Structure formats: structure tokens, C-alpha cells
Amino acid sequence: MWQLYQFPLCPFSRKVRLLLGEKGIGYDLVRESPWERRDEFLDMNPAGRTPVMVEAAKGLTLIDSWAICEYFEETVEQAPMINGTSVNRAEIRRLVAWFDEQFHADVVAPLMHERMKKRLIDRASPDARVLRDAMKLAVNHLDYVDYLLDHRNWLGGATMSLADLTAAAHISVADYLGGIDWRGHAQTQRWYAALKSRPSFRPLLSERMEVITPPPHYDKVDF
Amino acid sequence: MWQLYQFPLCPFSRKVRLLLGEKGIGYDLVRESPWERRDEFLDMNPAGRTPVMVEAAKGLTLIDSWAICEYFEETVEQAPMINGTSVNRAEIRRLVAWFDEQFHADVVAPLMHERMKKRLIDRASPDARVLRDAMKLAVNHLDYVDYLLDHRNWLGGATMSLADLTAAAHISVADYLGGIDWRGHAQTQRWYAALKSRPSFRPLLSERMEVITPPPHYDKVDF
């Protein structure tokens, strides 16, 4: 059985979990708080980041959400999530990178720093200006998702793909941390509601990060 | 013919160029300075980053170095650079992510900010403390490369792969900016000399970024 090292609000682990869920691959969760820089974890992954996946019986360790997703995409045929022609696949990967890099840097990283790390580690108050900036950038990102959905059924094209799972993973963490204002984004909201109702998403939405409570709409499919 | 939008010190464009060179794919260079945020470039890539590749005759635009590398790996069989078993391929991708994220954040990004962007954009002097910290972290990274080469012929395994090309791309930019102290890293130096002598690498080493001069050893295979 695979073990997945992660913490509930890690967006990169959420991306991997959504992919595993869609593909029907079982795994056990192992709680890892990368900011504690545990020696045994750093020995496994010198980058000190989640997710890491271990299959002890087979002696396998997979590190980095990109490498993990490509691995399961190559080895498990069911529910292909980097699908279509090479050009489609390039577009899916562009969007995965967009959410993992841009959306993460603009929205998720500042929200997590202010609302999670400051609370858990520094016992400090969040900086209202940083939160406001992140929430403003989140609006721009949702505008871009609206724009993509004007032209396509799903973010990467005609079918659901790793682009949708990655976007939903990051948006769900931002939403948990109160950083998403859904007003004026009906199209993105419908797309996100469709993802939220998938069996792969339900276990994520029911999890809680200690001391941090999400807004009431967070785990509702109608929101 | 493909066009590659880039600037001479963009490590992500260098990674793509090394892959294209190894695979024997021709392209024309188009100079793009992403910090100028040119409207036509932002229309092509809303993320505003290099590299972008365009094949106008076929109506193709490829964005993001990861998506570009995977595209050519899928469509051009010659010189496979994400090679071996699925587990090998996961290890190659882990190392690509390591250099694109960790090495870039620790070493290349601060060096480029202090030695290139401050000079070109702000007309300001570099911060000696930031430079010193980046160079110290570069030593740790070269120690890690030494460690990998203790166990393997190439970074990702028995054969040259995208892990080597990505590492060499980032190290070459750091070296151009005077951030690499080669003393005490004989093993990594030998590996890097082997890469420098490849035909795919020569055109990169002969290019210069305006106003910034590399150290004398930069383009020498014996250094």
C-alpha cells in the first residue's frame, strides 16, 4: 500500500490525492509538517517538501508532485488526466504549472503564511495588507478561469484533466483560508461545484487543519 | 521553423535549448526581456515568462519549460532525455524540479536579481550580503551534486538525462554571474566539463548578456 506524506492544507498533496482518487489508487495518509524539518523526512526528501509517496514493500519513494503525477499517469491507464494530443497535453501541463507557480505564489503562499504558519509557528497575527493583496490577485485568477471556461468545458480542453485537479487543489486551500470571494464568478463556481461533488474530492473537504476553521461554505457543494 | 522567445541568461530557456540541441531540433531565437512586460508577449503567455515556443506555420504555441520539454520528449524519439523505467523517470523529474525550484530559488534568482535586474532596471548596486548567502547555498547544492555523482554516472542514473541538462542550465547562469566557487568540487567540475564540451552547450556559452561580463573561466571546457 502506498503511503502519502502530507498535511491537510498542502495544495501539492491535494493535487496528487485528487489524481489518485480519480484513478482509484489506494493509499494511507501520513501526517508530515514540513516546517518542522524532521530529520527522517529530510533523509527521504532533501527538499523537505510534501508530498512524498512511499511503497515500502516495493522499496519505492516518489518525490515532488509533478514527478508523482507523471508516474501514476504513466503506470495506471485508468482515468488518464494528461490526455489528448501532444498539443493538448502541453496545454494541460502549462495550466498545471500556472496554478502550481503563479496562483500558488500570488494567492496560496501568502494566505498560508499569514493565516496558517503565523498562527501555528510564530503565534503572530496576520498582516491585513498582505491578505488583501492576495485576495485581490485571487479575483484576477478567477477572472482568468472564467475566461478559459468561456471557451472550453474544462480548463485544459474538452475533458477533465490534471489542469482542473491542480486548479481545484489550490483554490480549495485558498477557499479554506477565506481567500476566495465567489461573487461575480458564477462560471468558475459551477465548474468548482462539479469538482467538489466528485468522490475524489469529498475526503479532502471533510478534513480539518488544527486550530484553523474554514468558512461555512467551504465543504458545501451548493455555495 | 520553431521560434524560441528568451533572453541569454534565462535558465529555463537554457534547459529547453539544451534539450532541443541534443534532439537535433532547429529553432530561431527571439529576444524577449520578460521584465519589460511587452503587451504582445503577455497576450501569448499571460504568465509573462520565458521560454515560449511558437511554430507559426502550424499555429502552435508552447508555454512553460516543463510543458515544452515533455512535448518534445513525446514527439521526437531521438535522444530520449526522460528515459528508463517509470521509477527512473520519476527520479529524473524529481531532480528537474529540484533545480528548477530549489537551486533556482536559493542561488539563481537572488544572483539574477542582484547582478542583472538591479543593473539593467534599477541602476542600483548589488547587496553583498544577498550575494554571499546565494554563493554559500550554491556550495551546499554542489555538495549534493557531488553526492549524487558518487553513486551514479549522471545525475538521474546511468545515462545523461533532462536532470543533467536542467542542472547544467541553472549552474551555467549562476557561473556566468560569478556565483559558483568550483574549489573542492572536482567531481561536479568533471561532470560539468563533459556537458560544456557537448555541441548542444557551445552556442549557449558563447552568448553574452548586455552589460554583464562573465568570469574568464565561464566558457572554457578546462576551468
Side-chain angles (χ1 to χ4, degrees):
Chain A
M1 182 71 123
W2 285 100
Q3 289 187 306
L4 172 56
Y5 288 75
Q6 61 113 48
F7 61 99
L9 288 183
C10 171
F12 304 100
S13 303
R14 285 184 170 221
K15 169 174 70 161
V16 167
R17 292 176 67 187
L18 290 172
L19 182 79
L20 296 173
E22 291 295 328
K23 287 185 169 290
I25 300 164
Y27 58 92
D28 287 326
L29 290 178
V30 181
R31 169 60 189 261
E32 185 67 47
S33 303
W35 53 89
E36 291 175 359
R37 300 190 64 73
R38 201 166 57 86
D39 285 342
E40 292 82 355
F41 185 64
L42 292 174
D43 286 345
M44 260 198 307
N45 179 13
R49 293 184 183 183
T50 48
V52 168
M53 289 190 72
V54 176
E55 168 48 287
K58 294 188 187 148
L60 297 178
T61 302
L62 304 177
I63 290 165
D64 182 82
S65 73
W66 165 41
I68 294 172
C69 289
E70 295 277 354
Y71 175 87
F72 286 108
E73 191 65 9
E74 287 178 1
T75 55
V76 180
E77 266 181 47
Q78 195 187 321
M81 287 288 146
I82 306 176
N83 42 30
T85 66
S86 291
V87 174
N88 294 144
R89 293 160 65 85
E91 174 65 357
I92 291 166
R93 290 186 175 111
R94 171 184 84 84
L95 289 166
V96 171
W98 171 277
F99 285 96
D100 278 350
E101 291 166 19
Q102 303 284 121
F103 189 89
H104 183 260
D106 289 347
V107 182
V108 177
L111 285 172
M112 282 180 78
H113 186 260
E114 297 301 323
R115 289 236 163 106
M116 189 189 85
K117 290 187 190 147
K118 276 196 176 173
R119 180 115 185 231
L120 284 177
I121 306 164
D122 315 325
R123 319 272 165 193
S125 301
D127 180 328
R129 197 186 45 79
V130 174
L131 289 177
R132 214 163 38 235
D133 289 348
M135 290 169 76
K136 234 187 259 173
L137 289 171
V139 171
N140 297 350
H141 277 282
L142 292 201
D143 286 345
Y144 185 56
V145 175
D146 279 342
Y147 160 82
L148 290 172
L149 293 171
D150 272 343
H151 300 83
R152 305 164 175 181
N153 289 332
W154 296 90
L155 296 193
T159 57
M160 192 175 74
S161 75
L162 191 60
D164 301 286
L165 305 184
T166 307
H170 286 280
I171 288 172
S172 72
V173 173
D175 198 31
Y176 189 113
L177 296 170
I180 302 287
D181 181 354
W182 287 102
R183 287 171 303 177
H185 295 287
Q187 208 157 358
T188 301
Q189 202 171 358
R190 268 196 303 278
W191 160 86
Y192 188 54
L195 284 161
K196 268 179 148 178
S197 64
R198 296 188 76 82
S200 64
F201 214 146
R202 303 305 306 160
L204 275 71
L205 292 172
S206 62
E207 265 177 49
R208 293 293 174 268
M209 184 81 196
E210 60 270 17
V211 308
I212 306 165
T213 310
H217 72 261
Y218 166 73
D219 56 3
K220 298 198 173 49
V221 172
D222 281 325
F223 59 103
Chain B
M1 183 70 122
W2 285 99
Q3 290 187 306
L4 172 57
Y5 288 73
Q6 63 112 47
F7 62 99
L9 288 183
C10 171
F12 303 100
S13 304
R14 287 184 168 222
K15 170 174 70 163
V16 167
R17 292 176 67 187
L18 291 172
L19 182 78
L20 296 173
E22 291 296 328
K23 287 183 169 292
I25 300 164
Y27 59 91
D28 288 326
L29 289 178
V30 181
R31 169 60 190 261
E32 184 66 46
S33 303
W35 53 91
E36 292 175 358
R37 299 189 64 75
R38 201 166 58 85
D39 285 343
E40 293 82 354
F41 185 64
L42 291 174
D43 286 346
M44 258 196 309
N45 179 13
R49 293 184 183 183
T50 48
V52 169
M53 289 192 70
V54 176
E55 169 45 291
K58 293 187 187 149
L60 297 178
T61 301
L62 304 178
I63 290 165
D64 181 82
S65 73
W66 165 40
I68 295 172
C69 289
E70 295 276 355
Y71 175 87
F72 286 108
E73 190 66 9
E74 287 178 2
T75 56
V76 179
E77 264 181 48
Q78 194 186 323
M81 287 289 146
I82 307 176
N83 42 30
T85 65
S86 292
V87 174
N88 294 144
R89 293 159 66 85
E91 174 65 357
I92 291 166
R93 290 186 175 112
R94 172 183 84 84
L95 289 167
V96 171
W98 171 276
F99 285 96
D100 278 350
E101 291 166 19
Q102 304 283 121
F103 189 90
H104 183 261
D106 289 346
V107 181
V108 177
L111 285 172
M112 283 181 76
H113 186 261
E114 297 301 323
R115 289 236 163 105
M116 190 190 83
K117 291 188 189 147
K118 276 196 178 172
R119 180 115 185 232
L120 285 177
I121 306 164
D122 315 325
R123 318 270 164 195
S125 301
D127 181 328
R129 198 186 43 80
V130 174
L131 289 177
R132 214 165 35 234
D133 288 349
M135 291 170 74
K136 233 187 262 174
L137 288 171
V139 171
N140 297 349
H141 278 283
L142 292 202
D143 286 344
Y144 185 56
V145 175
D146 279 341
Y147 161 82
L148 291 173
L149 293 171
D150 272 342
H151 300 81
R152 306 164 175 180
N153 289 331
W154 297 89
L155 296 193
T159 59
M160 191 175 74
S161 75
L162 191 60
D164 301 286
L165 304 183
T166 307
H170 286 281
I171 288 171
S172 71
V173 173
D175 198 30
Y176 189 112
L177 295 170
I180 302 286
D181 181 354
W182 288 103
R183 287 171 301 176
H185 295 286
Q187 208 157 358
T188 301
Q189 203 170 358
R190 268 196 304 277
W191 160 87
Y192 188 54
L195 284 160
K196 269 178 148 179
S197 64
R198 296 187 78 82
S200 64
F201 214 146
R202 302 305 305 160
L204 275 72
L205 293 173
S206 63
E207 266 176 49
R208 293 292 174 270
M209 184 82 196
E210 59 271 18
V211 308
I212 307 164
T213 310
H217 73 261
Y218 165 72
D219 55 4
K220 299 199 172 46
V221 172
D222 281 324
F223 59 105

